[in-house]
Each structure stands twice: as C-alpha cells, then as structure tokens.
Amino acid sequence: MEKVVIIGTGCAGLTAALYTARANLTPLVFTGTLPGGLLTTTSIVENYPGFPDGIDGYELMTRMQKQAERFGARVKFATLEAADLSKQPFVLTVDGEPVETQTLIIASGASHRHLDLESESLLERKGVTYCATCDGALPMFRNQPLVVVGGGDSACEEATYLTRFGSVVFLVHRRDTLRASKIMADRTLSNPKVKPIWNSVVTEILDVKQDKVTGVRLKNLKNDAEQVLDCAGVFVAIGHVPNTQLFKGAIDMDENGYIIPKRGSETNVTGVFVAGDCSDHVYRQAVTAAGLGCAAAIDAERHLAKLNQ
Ligand code: NAP
C-alpha cells in the first residue's frame, strides 16, 4: 500500500512530491495526460522567483521533476480513471490497475476552456489551437493573419509570441479593457503587429467545408454588427476549467468544479488533500501552485504521522 499518491505533475504536484519525498514517504506521482502540466506549453516564465532572466516552462518542470525524483519520488506516466474515497485505504484505478493509498493529494490542475462552438471542435488542429508555444511555428501560420481570443495574461502572452510568425495578430476580446496584468497588457498593446478588436466575440470559425481555418465571424457586442476577418489560425486563450470531474460527488467543489478545501489543503474527505489550479481560481500562478503543493505535502505528512502513531 502507498503512503502518498499525488495526482498531477504541474507545479503543485511536483512540489508536493518533493516535500513528501524528503519526508521519506516515497510518493507515487501520476502525470495524467500532460506531464509537467500547462506550464510545459508556455514559453518563457518570467515571474518564477530565482530565475532573473526567466526560464523556459518545459525546462522548469523538468527540473522540478528531477529534484523530486532525487529524493525518492516515483513519477509514472499514467492516468487516474476512478477513485473510491469512501473507505480507508483509498482505492484508485490507474490505467486499469488498482492502487491502494493512505493519503491522496489532488493536484490535477486545469485545462484550456473552449469557446464551445461546433466549428471550433471541427477545426481543432486544422488551424484552431489552444497553445501558441506548441503550434505557433507551424508552416500553416507563417506570415499569415492570426487571431487570438481572450483578454487575460494568456491571451497577451500568446499574441506577443505569435507576432514572431504571423503577418498580423488580431486580439479579439469581449470587453474594451484587458484583464491581463499591466505589464503584459502594455507590452502586448504596444506591439505594432498586435491589433486589438474590442467588445467582440467569435460566433463561428470558418471554414468547415474547406476543412481548415480561413477566417472568423465576429459579432460586436455593443452594436451587434457582424464582420468576417480572414485568418489562418485561431488561438483560443479564454481561461481554464479545473480537472476535477472524477471527484464529483465525493469531494466538495463549487459550481465551476473548483475543489473547496475545508481547512488548509484538507478536503471534506479525511486523508485527501488538494493543491494548485484545481482548487485555486484566484491566484493561479506557478509560484502559488508550488506553495500550495508544499502545504498539501506537509498536511499529508502530519496526517500520516497521526495515523501511524
Ligand atoms: P483569465 O485571466 O481567466 O482570462 C480569461 C480571458 O478570457 C478573460 O479576458 C475573459 O474575459 C475571456 N473569456 C472567458 N470566457 C470567454 C468566452 N467564453 N468567450 C470569450 N472570452 C472569454 O485566464 P488566463 O489568461 O488563462 O490566465 C489564467 C491565470 O494564469 C491568471 O491568473 C494569469 O495571471 C495567469 N497567467 C500568468 C501569466 C504570466 O504572468 N506570465 C501568463 C499566463 C497566465 P473577461 O475579461 O471579460 O472575463
């Protein structure tokens, strides 16, 4: 039986792994489908303390994993399929195999929110993407007009990054001010290749018949005017949804699926702890996720110490 199982290898999961490993609990850590979490899909991370020149997101996560493994964490590329948290020990199903554990740290993060348009899903990977760092350099986007949807830090980051490849980057936002931090907003809007389109939403991505992105249909929310904007790519950056569906009904969560901790990192189920973006819809930073991962590890360690007294 495991002492600690950690779900997720983003900043929260790997920091929890580091701390529980250093407490000699040899945690078993499951990556899910995106090892390293969302930060592996970002380019340069400029606000993680300790890296004055910034650090590549993928490299940061690779280093975190190595650091946790150095102290005995076992990181496995596997996905949680079910969790029976109704009795101790908890029984997880991971890639078809049962895993028993005394404690569980849920650090499953969040995934990209979609626009929920039919044309969006039909054209995914045919010009519609959720990750500029992953896809921006593809030949199909080179020297072409591109569209980024959203008004937060992610949208700004994507738009600025895409100016390296696209002829022009239209930033389509549903309001007339960006939600992004001031430094990111200023940097983005002062880039001559970024053209903001305010108060507008994408109502359709064209052209499903041609099986590739050729443009977007936009609606101005102030005056209902419609326009079609030619583009070769649509980069959707409108926030995230927490990866908590598997725990619905067992773990307390809000109406958007964010897990609600009871005290510190403790959930409503004794022995189950939570950390990072699957429970935090306020701060959502790499460094806060890491801090919450540390807290969950300490809480799990103290719980085990009491259990095994
Ligand atoms: P976010 O801050 O939640 O912003 C989402 C944006 O998408 C908002 O502007 C929102 O509009 C818009 N939006 C939401 N649903 C929409 C819909 N259905 N249709 C059209 N627009 C929609 O998400 P984020 O930009 O991904 O950032 C998430 C967190 O990560 C934030 O805390 C951010 O600071 C952090 N982050 C930091 C960095 C960095 O510091 N380098 C980089 C990336 C992300 P409204 O503004 O009208 O709500």
Side-chain angles (χ1 to χ4, degrees), residues 4-18 20 27-38 40 61 64-65 68 73-80 92 94 104-110 243 246-247 273-278 289 293 296:
V4 182
V5 166
I6 299 169
I7 306 299
T9 49
C11 289
L14 288 177
T15 307
L18 171 64
T20 48
L28 181 57
V29 194
F30 295 117
T31 59
T33 51
L34 185 61
L38 276 184
T40 57
M61 300 319 297
M64 277 192 203
Q65 179 170 332
R74 293 161 298 148
V75 178
K76 286 204 171 156
F77 180 68
T79 304
L80 178 71
L92 312 176
V94 179
L104 177 67
I105 298 177
I106 304 171
S108 48
N243 299 321
L246 268 181
F247 303 104
F273 304 88
V274 68
D277 285 10
C278 62

Side-chain angles (χ1 to χ4, degrees), residues 19 27 166 197 308:
Y19 272 75
I197 300 184
N308 300 325

